[in-house]
Amino acid sequence: QVQLVESGGGLVQAGGSLRLSCAASDRGFWRFNVAWFRQAPGKEREFVATISWSSDRTEYADSVKGRFTISRDNAKNTAYLQMNSLKPEDTAVYYCAVRFRGSTRPEYDYWGQGTQVTVSS
C-alpha cells in the first residue's frame, strides 16, 4: 500500500503561482509513473499532467500547457506540480496518483486525498 499526501494548495490571486507537492510513503517511488488530476465543484475529475518514472516523458492537458510543470525527485519520494499564471478556472481539488511503471491498465493504483487550490479573480 502506497500512501500519497498532497500539500501546497491554497488561495491565490489570478496570475499568481503555487507549487503542489505529492509525498509518497513508499521508498520504491521510482517504480511508479505519477499524474496530477483535478476536480472542480460540479465537474468530473480531469487529467492535468503526468510524468514517467524516469522523468523522461511528460504530458499535459491542453488547458495547462505552458503554465504548469510536473517534476519529481525520486530520492525524496516526491512529485511536484508548479503552477504559474493561475486562472480562476484552475480552481479545484488537485489529486496526485501513481501507477506502477509496468502496468498496462489505464487505472491508477493509488491516490492521495487531494489539496484545494482556489484562484480568485
Side-chain angles (χ1 to χ4, degrees), residues 1-106:
Q1 185 78 9
V2 177
Q3 293 184 331
L4 303 173
V5 178
E6 301 96 335
S7 62
L11 174 64
V12 64
Q13 288 187 330
S17 298
L18 284 175
R19 188 195 195 201
L20 305 184
S21 297
C22 172
S25 62
D26 194 324
R27 286 183 292 179
F29 182 66
W30 60 269
R31 300 173 297 166
F32 297 93
N33 297 323
V34 179
W36 287 93
F37 291 81
R38 66 186 181 185
Q39 187 167 20
K43 295 187 177 181
E44 293 187 354
R45 186 170 58 197
E46 65 174 358
F47 166 80
V48 175
T50 188
I51 186 168
S52 62
W53 66 276
S54 61
S55 300
D56 64 340
R57 294 192 310 274
T58 58
E59 183 180 340
Y60 297 90
D62 288 343
S63 59
V64 306
K65 278 181 183 177
R67 300 187 298 121
F68 291 11
T69 302
I70 189 172
S71 62
R72 64 188 296 165
D73 185 340
N74 288 341
K76 295 182 178 180
N77 300 324
T78 303
Y80 306 96
L81 185 68
Q82 178 67 44
M83 306 186 296
N84 299 329
S85 302
L86 282 161
K87 305 175 181 180
E89 50 263 44
D90 294 318
T91 295
V93 177
Y94 284 72
Y95 300 89
C96 70
V98 298
R99 179 171 61 197
F100 180 62
R101 63 185 178 127
S103 175
T104 58
R105 299 179 300 110

